[in-house]
Amino acid sequence: QSVLTQPPSASGTPGQRVTISCSGSNSNIGSNTVHWYQQLPGTAPKLLIYSNNQRPSGVPDRLSGSKSGTSASLAISGLQSEDEADYYCAVWDDSLNGRVFGGGTKLTVL
Amino acid sequence: EVQLVESGGGLVKPGGSLRLSCAASGFTFSIYNMNWVRQAPGRGLEWVSSISTSGSYIYYADSVKGRFTISRDNAKNSLYLQMNSLRAEDTAVYYCAREDSLQSFDPWGQGTLVTVSS
């Protein structure tokens, strides 16, 4: 059971907008910044969003992140087949004194 | 090009030991905190351990505390993970990842597979 709760799956059709949620607590999301990672099948994870809502260079602006209280979310608009991947949220947890990842959300493009 | 390359994975019996290495290139290794993250087959990501630039600050996940030891050699641009008393549940792909000043992990290595089985 992960400290951060993500839906196990999400789906959408090409062009649609999908949102992936990440729910935590005051000791993690409530007091630290959230990062999001994308893992394409058979590859290493890649940083997608850092510090709640910042995109590294090369990440398209149709991907965005937000945080409110003890929850965060990743939004992908203009869904494309190449977005089919696993997505993970991550944050430092002050109580555990360590990093925690969400359980991951498998995004399917129908 | 910034690159992280893990090595040292393999098949080991329960109770055995293994030492993973992560060779860094393309950046000033000594000024970055570094991390190990693992992923069991078909499962999600699990943070394992982190080490500060000089090795002064080290953190472990409860699942590996007392069995795994993280270390680094800045002169050799290398990160290590000594894994002792290995269990079947330690079977996973182990990734090393650079931690930037905002505590995100970028980039990640390609991973090395550790299989604990008799």
Side-chain angles (χ1 to χ4, degrees):
Chain A
Q1 193 77 3
S2 300
V3 171
L4 303 179
T5 302
Q6 294 182 236
S9 64
S11 63
T13 57
Q16 269 191 330
R17 181 178 188 272
V18 296
T19 301
I20 297 172
S21 61
C22 176
S23 178
S25 65
N26 288 326
S27 66
N28 43 65
I29 294 179
S31 49
N32 295 292
T33 58
V34 179
H35 314 294
W36 290 89
Y37 301 90
Q38 177 194 57
Q39 187 176 31
L40 296 169
T43 69
K46 167 194 161 186
L47 179 64
L48 207 59
I49 297 286
Y50 66 95
S51 297
N52 302 327
N53 55 17
Q54 302 298 302
R55 284 184 304 275
S57 60
V59 174
D61 59 6
R62 58 188 186 81
L63 281 84
S64 62
S66 63
K67 179 184 124 171
S68 178
T70 58
S71 293
S73 62
L74 172 70
I76 306 175
S77 59
L79 201 60
Q80 300 177 6
S81 58
E82 66 201 51
D83 296 325
E84 195 158 281
D86 294 325
Y87 293 84
Y88 296 90
C89 56
V91 67
W92 180 266
D93 190 293
D94 294 334
S95 295
L96 297 175
N97 223 19
R99 188 93 45 192
V100 290
F101 284 91
T105 298
K106 184 176 184 63
L107 176 62
T108 301
V109 181
L110 302 169
Chain B
E1 178 196 3
V2 175
Q3 197 170 15
L4 298 170
V5 179
E6 302 92 337
S7 61
L11 175 63
V12 61
K13 289 181 168 53
S17 298
L18 212 54
R19 189 196 196 206
L20 305 183
S21 299
C22 171
S25 60
F27 65 99
T28 305
F29 179 74
S30 61
I31 66 172
Y32 287 91
N33 296 339
M34 297 295 296
N35 288 259
W36 287 100
V37 178
R38 69 184 180 182
Q39 185 171 35
R43 305 294 296 273
L45 301 173
E46 179 188 15
W47 171 79
V48 172
S49 181
S50 69
I51 185 168
S52 62
T53 55
S54 63
S56 299
Y57 298 94
I58 287 175
Y59 303 93
Y60 297 102
D62 287 344
S63 58
V64 306
K65 204 170 292 184
R67 300 187 300 123
F68 290 10
T69 302
I70 191 172
S71 62
R72 64 190 296 162
D73 185 334
N74 288 339
K76 294 183 177 180
N77 293 333
S78 292
L79 174 72
Y80 306 102
L81 186 67
Q82 177 67 42
M83 304 185 296
N84 298 331
S85 303
L86 283 162
R87 307 165 179 167
E89 53 264 37
D90 294 319
T91 294
V93 173
Y94 285 74
Y95 298 100
C96 66
R98 186 182 74 174
E99 180 178 335
D100 65 24
S101 59
L102 298 173
Q103 300 186 329
S104 58
F105 293 172
D106 182 44
W108 298 56
Q110 87 289 348
T112 187
L113 176 63
V114 172
T115 303
V116 184
S117 175
S118 54

